[in-house]
Amino acid sequence: MNRNAEVPPTLTVVGLARAGMSLAWLGLLASVLAVGTAGADVYKYRDAQGVVHLTNVPQQSADEPYALWRKNEATKPKGWQDGYRAMPRLVHDRYAAPVNRFAGLYGVDPTLIRAVIHAESAFRADAVSPKGAGGLMQLMPATAARFEVVDRFNPEDNIAGGVAYLALLLQMFRGDRELAVAAYNAGEGAVKRYGGIPPYKETRTYVKRVMQLQAAYAGAG
């Protein structure tokens, strides 16, 4: 499966689920929608009449405040727990200029930056995680504020903040890439508390995924 395939946006709205409809039915609706719009995230909102609307292309407005409901498998962040060993197509040229510029500015290996972007968002600048992290390097609002990122969904701003954070973590953990990457995923406090990579399935998968991706990017020259 090509995890980076571009999928043209296709509006698909399901307004059949009334308030009180079972989660099983909602799951079925989401499954049908996912099959029909492979490679798309699924967004949801419930209107004033209790009707649940599902779509892969949210039309954001005050009357229709869609929120991310389910990530698609192609851009699922945090290392893709469904099988990190399957190597996706590498992405060498996208955002090369800001990646290389901030790599030089902060002294971070550009292949590590590219690996983190790949694992976090699959190079989608508009990616949003269920926990609210956003952009290429999936910055939480607090992290963005910490590194003075004004717009998390602006690629250059996002990469600047993400690389600054990676540089801080690498310094904090004395150049240990695995610990720095684990802290990027789980927070530096968790790494310090456990004295190493935290025993979280997501974090351990994420670290393996990023290391694998960096080795692939570095090997590709």
Side-chain angles (χ1 to χ4, degrees):
M1 175 179 178
N2 182 356
R3 294 184 177 277
N4 298 298
E6 297 293 339
V7 177
T10 305
L11 181 62
T12 308
V13 177
V14 179
L16 302 177
R18 294 284 175 183
M21 176 174 277
S22 71
L23 291 176
W25 272 106
L26 285 176
L28 178 60
L29 285 171
S31 298
V32 172
L33 180 61
V35 170
T37 58
D41 296 334
V42 179
Y43 298 80
K44 178 183 78 170
Y45 96 96
R46 188 187 300 272
D47 66 24
Q49 287 71 47
V51 178
V52 173
H53 300 256
L54 301 178
T55 180
N56 68 308
V57 184
Q59 304 298 313
Q60 294 292 353
S61 71
D63 297 326
E64 297 182 350
Y66 280 96
L68 181 68
W69 184 47
R70 179 167 298 178
K71 291 291 294 182
N72 83 85
E73 293 302 313
T75 59
K76 186 177 180 181
K78 315 309 177 193
W80 300 302
Q81 295 184 36
D82 58 327
Y84 64 85
R85 293 180 181 83
M87 176 59 67
R89 178 174 61 84
L90 300 182
V91 181
H92 297 281
D93 54 351
R94 204 173 306 173
Y95 308 112
V99 165
N100 292 331
R101 182 166 67 255
F102 292 116
L105 180 64
Y106 290 105
V108 178
D109 190 327
T111 64
L112 179 59
I113 298 168
R114 196 161 286 279
V116 169
I117 294 174
H118 201 145
E120 287 285 350
S121 68
F123 287 87
R124 281 191 52 181
D126 62 347
V128 180
S129 81
K131 294 181 180 178
L136 289 169
M137 299 189 75
Q138 291 288 277
L139 302 180
M140 292 293 289
T143 304
R146 181 180 180 185
F147 293 97
E148 301 181 343
V149 174
V150 176
D151 183 358
R152 292 184 297 154
F153 298 98
N154 176 283
E156 293 218 6
D157 288 357
N158 187 284
I159 293 171
V163 175
Y165 188 31
L166 269 178
L168 181 149
L169 294 173
L170 285 165
Q171 181 181 34
M172 182 180 296
F173 296 106
R174 300 182 179 181
D176 189 313
R177 290 175 303 143
E178 291 193 358
L179 293 185
V181 167
Y184 193 93
N185 175 262
E188 57 259 42
V191 174
K192 291 178 179 179
R193 186 165 61 253
Y194 285 102
I197 299 174
Y200 310 147
K201 181 180 179 181
E202 178 188 290
T203 301
R204 296 201 166 188
T205 299
Y206 177 80
V207 171
K208 291 176 182 178
R209 181 62 162 179
V210 172
M211 293 299 99
Q212 179 199 38
L213 283 165
Q214 185 185 13
Y217 279 113

